[in-house]
Amino acid sequence: MSGEALHFNAFVWPNGYHESAWRVVPDEVRGVLGLPYYADIATTAERGLMDAVFLADNLAIAEYRVTHLPQTQFDPVAVLSALAGLTSRIGLIGTGSTTYSPPWELARRFATLDHLSAGRAGWNVVTTVTPLAAAAFGASSHPAPEERYRRADEFVRVVQRVWDSWADDAVVGDRERGVWAERAALRDPAFHGEFFDVAGIQPFPRSPQGRPVLVQAGQSGPGVALAARHAEVVFSGPPSLTAAVEFRSNLRAQAVAAGRDPGQLLVLPALMITLGSTEAEARGRAERLEELASPEFRWQNALYTAGLDPDGFDPDRPLLSQLDPDAPPPSSRAEKLIAEAHRRPQASLSEIAQQVSGGAGQMHFVGTPEQLADLAIEWQDAGAADGFTVMGSTLPYELRTFVDEVVPILQQRGRYREAYTGTTLREHLGLARPSDV
Ligand SMILES: Cc1cc2nc3c(=O)[nH]c(=O)nc-3n(C[C@H](O)[C@H](O)[C@H](O)COP(=O)(O)O)c2cc1C
């Protein structure tokens, strides 16, 4: 390789990440509810030697979304378990909430996936932005971000102790002595903290990777701090190359301060892509998606992705006049939205929503496979990224084009693997297997 190898995860979303994707793809509308849709994406990504497929988890959807977008928020671990049987190498990353799951139960689900996939599981740690989840889970209120992140830190430590509750060599299978596993090789998690009191070993031996890979996308101060302490892959979507360089160097510095090796922390920013065989064709495809975008969805989505409930807002009134000055911002995206409202106190909500990017706040690349390969190499050389979490604006089109046309260019330039050299997600990413002590 002439440079370090790039790493790519494929973000899975119904018909593609652009809100208009479902209106332009030729597939049967309900196809996104069946296993063949996910199987096609996973096998395509595996053909492209990508590191992992990545499934989001949005607990509790706001009802306005069913008008505008396909709704397919299955349990990610259930989908990934099915994909484990249809693939052999690709990593399987799923999202799990630290606010709305018990840690022992989450540890068990992801370690199950790690066993069934022979070491390909990853857990995307989220604290859940939407306050609607509280009602769905019978909680009296949605905790503020500071508390969510304090809880998340403790949650991760509990999960790790559950994963480590069997020594690697615990199973001896000694038929003569009648000993399946050595009881002395067990370590009760015995965790007592501010939020959790957890005892009880994992109900099966340590998984092939020891611990599934920890993934995170925080952008706020506490979010980045959590990533610096625990994450092995970070996929936040900074809005520019300069912002990405700053983000990565800050994250790595914080990881070093926490006593970690920054080489064990990969930054794979979220990047939406629209490809075409010429730049004009790619632009045309992106413009078509934008033309179909609903202005109503834009302002609703700007609020929802920031953790605010769109049903309480009027798009034609100034946003500032509709904000509760005493409520703490529920997320870093809400902070940006509120700052914009203060900067333009007379601007209506729908005007402000045009200014802030939708989705996960990531960049949208529009161009040819050659141009995308150039961008990936430029970002890597600038220290902005170790690769990308690729979000096809339409799926499976963008992913297929990425695999068939971008991957070979990167291979020719010596920046991408020619074959998988390992079998586990840790091996693909160059991450060490955590020891059991
Ligand atoms: C590409 C991308 C995908 C995300 N997917 C999820 C998700 O599936 N579920 C979720 O609750 N949050 C998701 N998030 C939100 C992050 O977990 C995080 O809350 C967000 O980046 C804001 O950071 P903050 O919590 O530090 O303010 C995603 C973020 C990005 C950039």
Side-chain angles (χ1 to χ4, degrees):
M1 298 257 174
S2 58
E4 283 278 308
L6 285 156
H7 297 274
F8 293 103
N9 291 336
F11 195 88
V12 184
W13 201 251
N15 300 129
Y17 198 67
H18 195 282
E19 67 209 60
S20 311
W22 71 277
R23 297 177 67 188
V24 303
V25 297
D27 309 26
E28 208 277 302
V29 166
R30 283 169 197 76
V32 292
L33 294 164
L35 183 56
Y37 176 74
Y38 299 91
D40 178 43
I41 290 176
T43 52
T44 302
E46 186 167 71
R47 182 162 63 75
L49 308 173
M50 295 173 82
D51 292 80
V53 288
F54 188 113
L55 260 70
D57 193 18
N58 294 288
L59 298 172
I61 54 161
E63 289 186 6
Y64 81 91
R65 293 175 82 77
V66 312
T67 309
H68 307 288
L69 293 175
Q71 295 304 321
T72 60
Q73 191 55 74
F74 299 138
D75 174 351
V77 177
V79 176
L80 294 170
S81 299
L83 295 179
L86 301 171
T87 54
S88 61
R89 291 298 189 93
I90 188 122
L92 306 164
I93 300 174
T95 300
S97 173
T98 56
T99 306
Y100 295 103
S101 355
W104 191 94
E105 187 264 354
L106 181 141
R108 178 196 191 197
R109 287 197 297 128
F110 280 90
T112 301
L113 179 64
D114 205 42
H115 273 291
L116 296 184
S117 64
R120 295 186 282 140
W123 168 36
N124 174 35
V125 182
V126 300
T127 68
T128 301
V129 174
T130 177
L132 301 175
F137 284 82
S140 54
S141 67
H142 183 60
E146 192 274 333
E147 182 184 327
R148 293 206 307 271
Y149 275 112
R150 236 170 349 110
R151 182 184 154 103
D153 186 77
E154 199 176 298
F155 191 113
V156 170
R157 289 186 284 126
V158 177
V159 167
Q160 290 173 333
R161 282 168 84 133
V162 176
W163 284 339
D164 293 347
S165 60
W166 293 59
D168 279 324
D169 58 2
V171 179
V172 290
D174 189 333
R175 291 192 161 103
E176 225 149 90
R177 278 196 301 141
V179 176
W180 190 77
E182 296 288 0
R183 186 168 174 183
L186 304 177
R187 279 176 303 251
D188 194 297
F191 189 97
H192 306 288
E194 181 189 349
F195 298 92
F196 303 109
D197 280 303
V198 177
I201 56 163
Q202 180 169 270
F204 46 78
R206 201 160 188 252
S207 73
Q209 295 186 105
R211 299 175 181 175
V213 174
L214 288 187
V215 183
Q216 215 264 345
Q219 289 170 42
S220 60
V224 175
L226 181 74
R229 279 194 300 276
H230 301 294
E232 300 172 289
V233 175
V234 168
F235 68 102
S236 313
S240 67
L241 174 60
T242 322
V245 172
E246 197 186 312
F247 177 84
R248 184 167 172 273
S249 78
N250 171 31
L251 178 67
R252 286 165 65 93
Q254 285 193 42
V256 171
R260 296 183 58 203
D261 169 7
Q264 295 288 297
L265 172 53
L266 278 75
V267 180
L268 309 180
L271 179 68
M272 177 152 77
I273 61 166
T274 300
L275 296 169
S277 51
T278 62
E279 212 178 309
E281 187 193 316
R283 283 233 182 85
R285 297 187 67 245
E287 276 160 21
R288 175 85 186 117
L289 289 167
E290 282 299 302
E291 275 161 25
L292 290 170
S294 144
E296 190 191 2
F297 176 78
R298 279 280 148 96
W299 69 259
Q300 291 174 324
N301 201 41
L303 295 171
Y304 175 75
T305 55
L308 296 162
D309 181 2
D311 283 351
F313 286 82
D314 176 346
D316 302 321
R317 285 178 44 217
L319 173 58
L320 190 60
S321 70
Q322 303 183 62
L323 293 168
D324 175 357
D326 299 325
S331 69
S332 57
R333 289 180 59 73
E335 278 168 28
K336 286 188 195 122
L337 205 59
I338 294 165
E340 191 62 22
H342 279 282
R343 218 175 55 77
R344 300 169 62 207
Q346 299 308 322
S348 70
L349 163 56
S350 53
E351 283 164 343
I352 286 180
Q354 293 303 323
Q355 236 73 63
V356 299
S357 59
Q362 74 295 321
M363 278 176 40
H364 185 181
F365 168 87
V366 180
T368 63
E370 186 87 21
Q371 287 170 327
L372 180 53
D374 287 344
L375 177 133
I377 291 172
E378 183 194 0
W379 277 52
Q380 187 184 38
D381 289 346
D386 301 291
F388 289 93
T389 298
V390 177
M391 307 168 111
S393 62
T394 75
L395 285 172
Y397 175 85
E398 255 66 35
L399 183 64
R400 267 188 211 142
T401 310
F402 180 84
V403 165
D404 292 333
E405 298 181 33
V406 181
V407 162
I409 299 170
L410 292 171
Q411 286 171 328
Q412 276 159 24
R413 298 197 193 161
R415 297 294 182 110
Y416 196 60
R417 58 171 71 94
E418 299 279 344
Y420 286 115
T421 51
T423 58
T424 68
L425 177 56
R426 288 189 174 279
E427 286 165 350
H428 302 336
L429 294 166
L431 295 171
R433 185 181 185 280
S435 71
D436 59 352
V437 285

